[in-house]
Amino acid sequence: MKFYDHKKIEKKWQNVWEKSKIYQTRKEAKGKKFYGLIEFPYPSGAGLHVGHIRSNTAMDIISRKRRMEGYNVLYPIGWDAFGLPTENYAIKTGIHPEKVTKTNTDIFRKQLKSVGFGFDWSREIDTSNPSYYKWTQWIFLQMFKKGLAYKKKTEINWCTKCKIGLANEEVVGGVCERCGGAVVKKEKEQWMLAITKYADRLDKDLDDVDYLEKIKLGQRNWIGKSEGSEIDFKIKNSSEKIKVFTTRADTIFGATYVVLAPEHELVEILKSKIENIKEVEKYIKEIKNKTDIDRTAEDKEKTGIELKGIKAINPANNEEIPVWIADYVLVQYGTGAVMAVPAHDERDWDFAKKYNLPIKVVIEPYFVKKAGSDAIRDNEPFIERNAVVCVVKHWQEEKYLCLKWKKNDWQGFVVGGIEGNESIISAGQREVTEETGYKNLKFVKKITETIHSKFYHEIKKQNRFAHFETLYFELKNDERDEIAEEEKNIHEVVWVPKNDVLSFTLKDEDMNYIWKRFIKEQPYIDDGIVGNSDKFNGLSSLEAQKQITKFVGGRIVSKYKLRDWVFSRQRYWGEPIPIIHCEKCGYVPVPEKDLPVMLPKVKSYTPTDNGESPLAAISKWVNIKCPKCKGSAKRETDTMPNWAGSSWYYLRYVDPNNKKEFASKKNLKYWTPVDWYNGGMEHTTLHLLYSRFWHKFLYDLRLVPTKEPYQKRTAHGMISAEGGEKMSKSKGNTVDPKDIVETYGADTLRVYEMFIGPFDQTVVWNTNSIIGSRRFLERVWKISEKLTDNKKGSSLIIEQLLHKTIKKVSLDIESMNFNTAISSMMVLLNEMEKNEINKKDFKMFLQILSPFAPHITEEIWNNLGENKSIHISPWPKWNESKIVDEKVKIAVQVNGRVRAEIMITKDMTEESIKEMALKEKNVMTWTEGKEIKKIIYVPNKIINIVA
RNA sequence: GCCCGAGUGGCGGAACUGGUAUACGCGCACGACUUAAAAUCGUGUCUCGCAAGGGAUGUGGGUUCGAUUCCCACCUCGGGCACCA
């Protein structure tokens, strides 16, 4: 046989496949189907990189397996062609973006084909093609008609470098996600999409889809659903009210002031009543001039100013409280106003400390022991006790008095009950003296509010519900009484250095909390028991939230972090927004028969300095007759963001050439939802959320048959450069797949990229390791020469291992553990080299390898006399009975250490296996003179003798 | 600060629901073939120890006959969010 000439083989089969169209989807919408999707690439000038290959190969393998399993497979590809890099390149070179796109997609197509992906090329789409973006515009118009697309003058994020408005999602850390340029606030009329109307469903319907948990979590965090109460605070001597949103209505009695966002409309309304209006206006102006970077700077101190002369009335207790405006309250979230409860909120706490505002405690910490020896016992009554916890400082050193209990593993500060009419201070003093002997205590302060704790008292053998006062004493000297014998038996007195106290009290949540509060003054922000709140005292936080909201006439509502989507771009290379501005009729949609609104040819693509799109300069295109009144009107000159085309592309694939609809009902019904969508984690909050939103909108119009676009979503890890840093053209550390394909072949590249490491994790590219994958394929090539005839069976070892491998590879592909699938095939190959294997069995091996290495397997398959393609042959099935081992080697442990190995057969009883183990020479040495207490046998794995 | 994820040989990594840690690959060493080198094939390769044995899965503790796997605390790295009331 000839040597393995990858160039010849790969070229040959790529041509054959193209002619025979084996990867084309079956036309008739019948039978079981599989729709596998990858994120279509942005055809940048940099060309395809190794990261694309990784994710494309993964879905290629899955699709190929499905095809062999008899599914009608749709694995399509296209181009996410609109976007900034192409436009910027056009500005620089003067070459039309359309031409740039054409050049780039040609390169991408050629590259993708050279790697042997099984795409259905007859369904290729391009978002910048008018036949495609006609439907992007059409969907936008449906949104406009339903009021979901609206124009709004907003403060937008303006990138000073790209000269475009950015969606919130595109601002990362206060700078432009794309270019890293400074982002400032700018007032601009922008088209918006009301994604927030779908916030609740976008959150809830995640329950019904099979996405990786971390993807769901990412989406949920981004949507940021939060349930709470809306409560009105009346303003004294005014008919106006301040509506606040809070998730902690249980703390309302502790609300000592109200804060509005600086942009809050009430400031303007109440202007005449604000005594210090000049300073207030000055403050607001300062805030507005700040960039996002300043506003989000890390340890930025909160600022604010009181609205003098304005008082709000706390609806819970009718107290008059001051009203402030401050930069830590965001106008976009909730109601743009908060009730400040400094005792139970970190931000309010910081602010109150800075401006000397009152702090009122209304929630008392509450701990329940749920684990450990002092965990509460179910079904036993609680005995209530008032008690003290005493933190006592050493008379000289930085050490604190602690007790180590002898009967259990509890350790902490001095704790004891309050007796009769005793004051808490004398109770504390008495307990310290009784338990430790120390006498001369100076009371300094209470450390916290009352702490409530439920636990099991191990000495008294009862459930306790204790209410602790926490006291801080300093010892004046070492004078000490004799400790009673009884106390001595219970615990040991220990002086713990300040830095070690935390680890000493670690096991006990209450002690731990007291200490933390002792060393650092801070608010208690968790749930607890309500106090200081009239008739609500004693309720749990949760219960109080409901009751108090009702009591003050509030409403339970949900709020979301998600904002509406800024959909306008003042750029050329995007879909024109199909709207006409008529002075008489307002915003008029372009009639559907006039779609698509084509991008006009322009000479210069540079955005204008006043922030208008380059389209605005083409008066011939802009000026138009109003379709309604026929009067003079102007076209919208903003274009759509490049998230638009990718929000529905998976729908177009099912019917890419349809001229009447974006896709036919019949095809949609058969093909959607996408069965499996793989893509990058970086798209979970942008593309994935946007497309789910569009899909749900189309579903509401009965235009698509499913609620969700993607049934299953997984994510790949990235490939970083050899130093571990990101691959980038500027760093010059990119790897061009083309070079690898030439030197080692597409099959080697594919196998290597799947073998490199766990698919969902970031991996480091290592060109030196590729040789391993190449050697593997070369050995596969060579071994096909030594196959025995089918009349002779393969050796038993091979037969068993083959079936094990078929099983492992089949399952590993499903769970995307491609690296272990390949390693198991390597193991099989190693054995095949040493043992007899016949053609029939070897062909099964070729079949399971074929999704990974489609060319070489096809060539060998063909050489072995097969006429039809391996890629449409049926996926091999493993035979479970062939996998079962007749004989197994198991380990024999003595006290958890391996001391011997024994061979057992399938039919041996547990008893005989144990007997056999005990007779092993080395086992006998280790068990000699010892009593055998227990023998644990785990079938086919291990036997452990405890002696 | 908060939320995810990960720490295993020289390197990439494997280990099913707790059951013989280090599969598979790279690299390295030695050997065969060769005038020689490359390629290929074979053998070896966590570590201490002559051996019997012992020690190692980021660190410290816990549960268990048995822990890379479960629990607690901490450290380091990667990613996401960042005043969201």
Side-chain angles (χ1 to χ4, degrees):
Chain A
M1 204 178 202
K2 291 159 288 178
F3 77 106
Y4 170 39
D5 182 350
H6 65 264
K7 280 189 192 170
K8 208 170 138 193
I9 292 169
E10 289 173 1
K11 188 98 208 117
K12 169 180 158 192
W13 289 109
Q14 279 161 19
N15 287 336
V16 171
W17 296 333
E18 189 146 355
K19 273 185 203 129
S20 60
K21 301 182 176 167
I22 59 165
Y23 303 129
Q24 274 195 22
T25 304
R26 292 203 300 269
K27 280 272 151 39
E28 64 285 17
K30 262 192 275 176
K32 54 182 185 178
K33 62 96 181 178
F34 176 77
Y35 186 175
L37 185 67
I38 47 161
E39 286 162 350
F40 61 164
Y42 178 82
S44 75
L48 203 67
H49 62 83
V50 289
H52 287 122
I53 310 274
R54 193 180 187 208
S55 54
N56 293 10
T57 305
M59 192 50 73
D60 194 48
I61 289 167
I62 293 163
S63 304
R64 283 174 183 276
K65 175 166 180 267
R66 287 284 183 282
R67 192 174 292 115
M68 292 168 80
E69 286 167 338
Y71 286 82
N72 189 7
V73 169
L74 174 54
Y75 184 40
I77 186 75
W79 319 110
D80 188 11
F82 275 133
L84 265 184
T86 303
E87 180 165 352
N88 288 341
Y89 184 78
I91 291 169
K92 221 165 84 185
T93 60
I95 306 171
H96 195 279
E98 212 177 290
K99 214 172 163 192
V100 177
T101 300
K102 167 100 177 43
T103 313
N104 288 346
T105 51
D106 284 347
I107 294 168
F108 267 68
R109 191 180 305 104
K110 203 175 149 204
Q111 284 189 305
L112 288 172
K113 285 188 174 173
S114 78
V115 187
F117 294 123
F119 293 125
D120 180 349
W121 285 99
S122 72
R123 291 173 184 252
E124 185 183 335
I125 58 174
D126 175 347
T127 57
S128 69
N129 189 312
S131 69
Y132 181 92
Y133 70 68
K134 168 180 176 177
W135 297 107
T136 311
Q137 291 173 336
W138 184 83
I139 296 170
F140 174 86
L141 284 184
Q142 310 313 307
M143 288 195 166
F144 177 76
K145 286 174 190 165
K146 291 284 170 189
L148 286 174
Y150 62 97
K151 206 160 192 190
K152 192 183 168 193
K153 187 164 205 165
T154 41
E155 271 198 342
I156 58 149
N157 306 300
W158 180 258
C159 173
T160 49
K161 211 166 149 193
C162 303
K163 291 179 179 173
I164 54 165
L166 303 172
N168 289 309
E169 289 83 345
E170 292 168 307
V171 183
V172 175
V175 300
C176 173
E177 181 203 41
R178 273 231 137 80
C179 70
V183 173
V184 294
K185 295 278 173 200
K186 188 167 177 173
E187 287 243 313
K188 181 116 185 73
E189 284 254 301
Q190 298 271 43
W191 283 99
M192 309 282 291
L193 293 186
I195 189 171
T196 52
K197 291 221 167 113
Y198 283 76
D200 195 42
R201 286 163 64 190
L202 288 168
D203 180 287
K204 210 172 118 245
D205 291 349
L206 285 171
D207 290 339
D208 305 330
V209 288
D210 178 17
Y211 290 10
L212 286 185
E213 217 33 62
K214 61 176 174 179
I215 298 175
K216 286 191 184 184
L217 200 71
Q219 293 225 342
R220 288 219 158 94
N221 287 343
W222 193 260
I223 296 165
K225 180 174 179 167
S226 137
E227 283 176 61
S229 315
E230 256 180 24
I231 295 169
D232 292 337
F233 279 57
K234 285 186 180 139
I235 294 171
K236 193 186 170 191
N237 299 329
S238 164
S239 57
E240 296 294 335
K241 286 181 274 188
I242 300 171
K243 199 203 288 177
V244 306
F245 174 69
T246 178
T247 54
R248 294 296 303 271
D250 55 319
T251 65
I252 194 167
F253 283 85
T256 52
Y257 59 98
V258 170
V259 193
L260 306 178
E263 303 90 343
H264 199 286
E265 53 177 19
L266 272 177
V267 180
E268 189 61 31
I269 296 169
L270 299 170
K271 205 171 167 182
S272 58
K273 292 184 180 160
I274 301 171
E275 291 163 9
N276 56 340
I277 187 68
K278 279 215 171 116
E279 290 142 87
V280 170
E281 281 175 341
K282 190 175 156 230
Y283 173 75
I284 294 172
K285 211 173 161 190
E286 277 168 22
I287 294 288
K288 279 199 174 166
N289 286 337
K290 280 186 185 169
T291 64
D292 266 15
I293 305 171
D294 296 331
R295 275 187 93 150
T296 54
E298 257 192 49
D299 44 6
K300 190 186 75 76
E301 223 181 70
K302 298 170 180 39
T303 63
I305 185 167
E306 187 180 352
L307 303 182
K308 295 233 166 87
I310 308 287
K311 292 283 177 197
I313 294 162
N314 185 333
N317 53 16
N318 290 319
E319 267 175 31
E320 286 179 16
I321 54 177
V323 177
W324 286 64
I325 58 172
D327 59 351
Y328 79 96
V329 174
L330 307 172
V331 73
Q332 316 93 315
Y333 184 74
T335 58
V338 301
M339 62 176 208
V341 185
H344 306 295
D345 181 279
E346 263 174 19
R347 295 149 300 177
D348 298 342
W349 166 273
D350 291 344
F351 196 74
K353 282 278 165 192
K354 181 172 173 186
Y355 292 102
N356 248 328
L357 291 155
I359 297 171
K360 187 182 162 196
V361 171
V362 290
I363 301 292
E364 292 161 358
Y366 174 46
F367 301 104
V368 181
K369 294 277 154 55
K370 284 180 185 138
S373 58
D374 59 348
I376 51 167
R377 307 294 197 255
D378 289 341
N379 308 319
E380 276 187 47
F382 281 92
I383 311 296
E384 287 201 45
R385 283 282 186 277
N386 291 321
V388 289
V389 178
C390 309
V391 175
V392 181
K393 186 173 174 265
H394 194 270
W395 57 94
Q396 274 177 335
E397 301 169 68
E398 271 290 337
K399 282 183 178 172
Y400 293 84
L401 188 59
C402 292
L403 297 175
K404 190 171 184 163
W405 287 47
K406 290 175 177 169
K407 290 190 181 160
N408 57 25
D409 62 352
W410 193 89
Q411 40 193 45
F413 305 112
V414 172
V415 178
I418 303 171
E419 287 168 11
N421 290 331
E422 207 180 16
S423 76
I424 55 169
I425 295 171
S426 43
Q429 282 166 331
R430 179 182 50 74
E431 286 291 346
V432 173
T433 313
E434 275 177 20
E435 297 189 353
T436 70
Y438 291 105
K439 306 164 60 164
N440 291 317
L441 293 152
K442 189 181 103 192
F443 171 71
V444 184
K445 63 172 184 181
K446 277 178 76 169
I447 301 166
T448 68
E449 54 280 5
T450 310
I451 291 180
H452 307 272
S453 183
K454 281 186 177 170
F455 59 92
Y456 183 73
H457 199 301
E458 287 172 90
I459 312 258
K460 301 267 166 66
K461 303 235 178 300
Q462 55 187 216
N463 270 341
R464 278 289 176 84
F465 186 13
H467 311 287
F468 292 115
E469 298 302 330
T470 57
L471 310 174
Y472 172 50
F473 293 101
E474 283 172 6
L475 265 180
K476 287 181 214 150
N477 53 41
D478 61 348
E479 220 175 296
R480 196 174 181 190
D481 283 348
E482 186 59 30
I483 312 169
E485 263 323 294
E486 191 197 355
E487 295 283 353
K488 271 190 191 165
N489 290 334
I490 300 178
H491 34 57
E492 181 190 332
V493 175
V494 193
W495 281 105
V496 182
K498 192 174 181 182
N499 288 336
D500 298 343
V501 174
L502 201 62
S503 54
F504 190 84
T505 62
L506 211 57
K507 278 187 191 162
D508 192 282
E509 213 184 348
D510 323 27
M511 296 297 134
N512 215 3
Y513 175 70
I514 292 164
W515 181 252
K516 278 182 186 163
R517 284 281 299 265
F518 176 70
I519 50 177
K520 193 187 167 220
E521 226 194 338
Q522 54 188 306
Y524 178 72
I525 57 172
D526 292 325
D527 284 1
I529 290 182
V530 173
N532 238 332
S533 303
D534 285 355
K535 59 179 180 182
F536 301 102
N537 287 347
L539 290 181
S540 70
S541 283
L542 215 65
E543 188 55 34
Q545 280 161 22
K546 289 182 207 154
Q547 292 193 20
I548 290 178
T549 301
K550 204 173 163 196
F551 173 69
V552 298
R555 302 156 295 281
I556 303 284
V557 294
S558 293
K559 297 284 177 192
Y560 304 88
K561 284 195 225 174
L562 189 70
R563 316 265 164 81
D564 276 348
W565 175 5
V566 180
F567 201 65
S568 284
R569 298 291 183 276
Q570 290 72 42
R571 280 285 176 156
Y572 174 75
W573 192 231
E575 303 88 344
I577 291 177
I579 295 286
I580 292 162
H581 301 220
C582 169
E583 274 189 37
K584 245 207 252 157
C585 314
Y587 295 120
V588 181
V590 171
E592 284 178 18
K593 67 172 171 55
D594 295 341
L595 293 181
V597 176
M598 301 271 282
L599 266 178
K601 302 266 178 211
V602 292
K603 285 206 183 88
S604 158
Y605 316 102
T606 319
T608 57
D609 283 333
N610 61 12
E612 291 300 321
S613 149
L615 297 177
I618 313 173
S619 50
K620 237 170 107 186
W621 183 79
V622 170
N623 294 311
I624 190 178
K625 291 222 162 80
C626 170
K628 248 190 191 167
C629 69
K630 309 293 174 202
S632 63
K634 283 183 191 307
R635 278 189 193 279
E636 171 62 57
T637 58
D638 283 356
T639 52
M640 300 187 197
N642 81 320
W643 307 111
S646 60
S647 289
W648 71 281
Y649 75 112
Y650 59 93
L651 295 172
R652 188 63 177 172
Y653 281 139
V654 310
D655 196 5
N657 300 314
N658 198 322
K659 291 204 168 89
K660 290 182 190 140
E661 306 163 277
F662 63 83
S664 76
K665 286 253 154 55
K666 190 181 132 208
N667 283 16
L668 286 167
K669 186 147 198 287
Y670 179 64
W671 286 111
T672 65
V674 171
D675 294 286
W676 195 334
Y677 189 16
N678 185 73
M681 274 309 285
E682 69 275 21
H683 289 127
T684 35
T685 54
L686 301 167
H687 159 66
L688 202 59
L689 201 61
Y690 290 154
S691 63
R692 289 182 62 224
F693 161 49
W694 278 43
H695 192 90
K696 284 183 179 305
F697 168 72
L698 294 172
Y699 174 75
D700 289 348
L701 296 183
R702 303 271 175 273
L703 294 171
V704 293
T706 60
K707 277 186 190 173
E708 286 285 336
Y710 318 114
Q711 183 46 42
K712 175 173 179 156
R713 167 82 186 197
T714 51
H716 55 250
M718 293 189 310
I719 298 184
S720 51
E722 287 192 58
E725 3 165 57
K726 254 190 176 162
M727 275 193 194
S728 76
K729 223 177 168 183
S730 57
K731 282 187 189 137
N733 57 8
T734 53
V735 178
D736 191 342
K738 204 180 123 206
D739 300 340
I740 311 289
V741 169
E742 283 200 358
T743 348
Y744 298 94
D747 284 338
T748 299
L749 175 63
R750 295 170 60 115
V751 169
Y752 172 67
E753 290 218 20
M754 292 296 104
F755 185 63
I756 189 167
F759 183 66
D760 59 340
Q761 274 167 47
T762 301
V763 289
V764 178
W765 181 267
N766 185 348
T767 302
N768 290 333
S769 297
I770 295 174
I771 189 70
S773 302
R774 167 76 191 194
R775 281 181 196 147
F776 169 61
L777 294 180
E778 277 178 6
R779 284 161 56 207
V780 170
W781 180 258
K782 268 188 208 154
I783 202 171
S784 62
E785 292 174 332
K786 62 156 269 195
L787 304 177
T788 62
D789 202 76
N790 284 343
K791 277 174 230 156
K792 218 169 157 193
S794 303
S795 69
L796 277 176
I797 300 174
I798 291 300
E799 199 178 29
Q800 188 188 44
L801 191 58
L802 174 67
H803 282 267
K804 276 186 179 173
T805 309
I806 293 171
K807 181 176 182 178
K808 178 144 183 69
V809 171
S810 300
L811 299 178
D812 276 353
I813 290 176
E814 296 306 318
S815 54
M816 304 188 113
N817 295 122
F818 304 108
N819 54 334
T820 51
I822 292 169
S823 86
S824 71
M825 288 188 280
M826 287 173 168
V827 172
L828 176 59
L829 177 70
N830 288 344
E831 286 303 317
M832 288 193 297
E833 280 172 342
K834 289 182 218 148
N835 297 282
E836 298 255 288
I837 173 151
N838 68 22
K839 278 188 187 166
K840 190 174 107 267
D841 287 342
F842 184 71
K843 278 185 193 164
M844 291 214 258
F845 167 71
L846 282 183
Q847 284 175 306
I848 57 172
L849 178 60
S850 70
F852 297 83
H855 309 89
I856 187 174
T857 49
E858 184 82 301
E859 173 74 14
I860 301 173
W861 180 259
N862 184 262
N863 288 342
L864 291 175
E866 293 285 343
N867 298 323
K868 282 191 181 163
S869 171
I870 190 171
H871 303 299
I872 47 173
S873 68
W875 185 256
K877 289 197 177 74
W878 70 89
N879 185 340
E880 199 70 45
S881 67
K882 286 190 175 159
I883 292 175
V884 180
D885 297 280
E886 285 299 316
K887 279 180 177 177
V888 192
K889 191 169 71 176
I890 66 163
V892 184
Q893 296 185 329
V894 179
N895 291 331
R897 318 218 68 133
V898 180
R899 298 300 180 190
E901 280 174 345
I902 54 173
M903 288 299 288
I904 58 163
T905 53
K906 220 167 51 171
D907 49 350
M908 278 171 86
T909 62
E910 188 173 335
E911 213 38 54
S912 59
I913 292 167
K914 283 180 181 173
E915 229 170 88
M916 186 177 167
L918 284 169
K919 279 185 199 148
E920 275 292 307
K921 222 202 242 164
N922 203 34
V923 172
M924 283 169 78
T925 338
W926 286 92
T927 50
E928 209 183 347
K930 284 178 185 163
E931 185 203 343
I932 294 178
K933 288 177 195 142
K934 204 154 87 173
I935 301 177
I936 295 138
Y937 172 60
V938 183
N940 294 328
K941 289 269 162 64
I942 203 172
I943 184 159
N944 190 11
I945 299 162
V946 187

